[in-house]
Amino acid sequence: MPGVTRSVWQSRKAAREACDVCIVGAGILGASTAWWLGKLAPRLRVVVVDARWPAYGASGRNAGFLLQGAVTDYVSDIRLYGIDRARALRTFTHENRDQLLAEIPTESFGFVPSGSLTVAGETEEEERLRESAALMDRDGFPAELLGASAVNTRLGSKDYRSGLLVPTGGMLNPAELVGQLIARSGATSHTHRPVLHVDADAVEGGDFRIAAGTVVVCAGPWTAELLPEAARFVRPVRAQMMALEPARPMTLDLPIYSHEGFYYLRPDPRGRILVGGARHLHREVEVGFRDATTPALQADLLDYARRHFPELARARKVTAWAGTMGFSPDGLPFVGRVPSGAYLATGFTGHGMAYGFRSGRLLANLVTGTEDPFAALFDPERPTAAASQCASD
Ligand SMILES: Cc1cc2nc3c(=O)[nH]c(=O)nc-3n(C[C@H](O)[C@H](O)[C@H](O)COP(=O)(O)OP(=O)(O)OC[C@H]3O[C@@H](n4cnc5c(N)ncnc54)[C@H](O)[C@@H]3O)c2cc1C
């Protein structure tokens, strides 16, 4: 049987364990799947194993935007995926939010029901927001179009042309959320256990082996290292952020997104302003797994923040960080079973918080053989023509 090989010198016996479901990776996907299995199938023995610790990856490094929709605006979703799929994707993200807020006490993960605002940095974006507002109204998704002065007065910003306020958006602390889901799941959680090999009925590391009725791989951009068949689903793309401490408290009170999602800002609970993006200016560098920031991209982020928020001219940079996202060819995740027999959830691009909790339910349903109306939406067997104009480029 293929697996981890050990030389005659590596005589240490592997620790053995058995469970019904073994989940590899304790990011938002692994944690959500564990939580839903705990709720829907409490008799199952579930083990979550992570190479580092819960929320070590992008799930603990992201901006904590809880957004609605697939890309940046409804018109872009429709252009990329067609009207039926765009509607289904938006409905999925609404369910993601509603079920998360209904199931997990919101104060335990710092949720702020602020709404979210997509602001138009360019004329073309302004037009898309206007069209999106009309189509969302038609399809029953709440949104409010704001003019330039309403946006800039509210944010204390300058030069935004308009904004689309989605009242059901919000912000949260993603690392706390993952921790809460694991703690409340009833699953056994192992940290510092890098999995080296995955079969349909076992996972194995250098010094452990876990036999499982079902194996679920939620290893984000690392998924292809464990399931070679996932190499066509996911590639590693880096994102960088920084935290700025303004000289005086700012009026910014909700997450904002501009330039097709390539720039984003939000306040944190201590009044610091978190800024991310600028990846489109450094595409060739912002790939792979290197956990490092770069002076050039950080300078572009600062420049963007100061250009639109005069209050940040004298802000102090407190810290900066990077995270690796799993990008898929069509900008949508993959959730389901692959031919080797394991289940996976990967390819969540820059939107894992928007999809993660509901995707955990979808995976729990697939694993337990329960019907789910969204079973086909993220099918790993779907054809994946490259989506050329989304923020997942
Ligand atoms: C800077 C940044 C900002 C972002 N902002 C947002 C945002 O505001 N809103 C939003 O919705 N999304 C955002 N995202 C995207 C979001 O963070 C991801 O889509 C999401 O976190 C992916 O979750 P995941 O569980 O699939 O993977 P991950 O969070 O990467 O988790 C994978 C886990 O698997 C573990 N693992 C890997 N290999 C192994 C192995 N061999 N054995 C055992 N364990 C293993 C890792 O240690 C890790 O803990 C952002 C991402 C970044 C980087």
Side-chain angles (χ1 to χ4, degrees), residues 74-350:
Y74 197 41
V75 166
S76 302
D77 289 353
I78 293 169
R79 282 183 197 157
L80 283 167
Y81 306 117
I83 183 64
D84 292 344
R85 226 153 149 222
R87 262 197 214 115
L89 288 165
R90 197 155 278 263
T91 304
F92 190 88
T93 57
H94 276 262
E95 285 196 13
N96 181 74
R97 173 203 186 266
D98 295 348
Q99 293 176 9
L100 177 64
L101 303 192
E103 298 287 357
I104 313 294
T106 53
E107 64 284 2
S108 72
F109 59 94
F111 179 70
V112 183
S114 54
S116 61
L117 188 63
T118 306
V119 285
E122 314 282 351
T123 323
E124 194 264 338
E125 213 172 358
E126 194 180 353
E127 192 42 49
R128 270 190 290 115
L129 294 190
R130 197 191 328 276
E131 247 186 278
S132 292
L135 290 168
M136 288 172 76
D137 187 47
R138 182 198 70 186
D139 289 352
F141 299 118
E144 185 188 350
L145 193 64
L146 305 177
S149 83
V151 167
N152 290 309
T153 307
R154 172 164 184 178
L155 301 179
S157 57
K158 63 176 193 166
D159 295 341
Y160 289 131
R161 294 161 178 272
S162 66
L164 188 65
L165 179 67
V166 175
T168 46
M171 20 181 204
L172 50 76
N173 178 328
E176 288 286 354
L177 174 58
V178 170
Q180 287 292 324
L181 292 171
I182 296 277
R184 292 167 187 268
S185 69
T188 301
S189 167
H190 295 305
T191 59
H192 299 97
R193 287 214 189 161
V195 171
L196 300 174
H197 183 81
V198 165
D199 278 322
D201 59 359
V203 310
E204 208 174 348
D207 57 0
F208 66 92
R209 183 174 200 280
I210 304 172
T214 303
V215 171
V216 180
V217 180
C218 297
W222 294 274
T223 298
E225 290 177 359
L226 296 172
L227 294 171
E229 59 215 295
R232 73 179 180 88
F233 301 152
V234 62
R235 66 191 166 92
V237 171
R238 187 169 63 186
Q240 298 187 33
M241 294 194 68
M242 66 169 63
L244 297 173
E245 191 167 72
R248 288 186 308 183
M250 290 184 42
T251 54
L252 180 68
D253 61 353
L254 81 177
I256 68 164
Y257 221 52
S258 81
H259 296 80
E260 297 174 46
F262 282 117
Y263 287 109
Y264 43 97
L265 260 95
R266 64 163 279 188
D268 81 354
R270 291 163 63 177
R272 296 174 298 196
I273 305 299
L274 314 184
V275 190
R279 190 172 51 77
H280 57 310
L281 305 176
H282 304 269
R283 281 182 206 271
E284 60 303 334
V285 180
E286 296 305 301
V287 291
F289 288 101
R290 212 162 92 77
D291 186 3
T293 59
T294 57
L297 189 145
Q298 291 283 315
D300 285 332
L301 278 184
L302 200 54
D303 180 57
Y304 170 83
R306 289 183 169 159
R307 192 158 11 107
H308 286 286
F309 293 87
E311 284 277 5
L312 290 175
R314 287 180 300 115
R316 186 174 71 87
K317 184 165 158 182
V318 185
T319 188
W321 66 94
T324 307
M325 304 176 286
F327 269 36
S328 67
D330 63 358
L332 296 179
F334 293 89
V335 181
R337 193 172 200 178
V338 286
S340 62
Y343 289 81
L344 58 68
T346 189
F348 283 81
T349 68

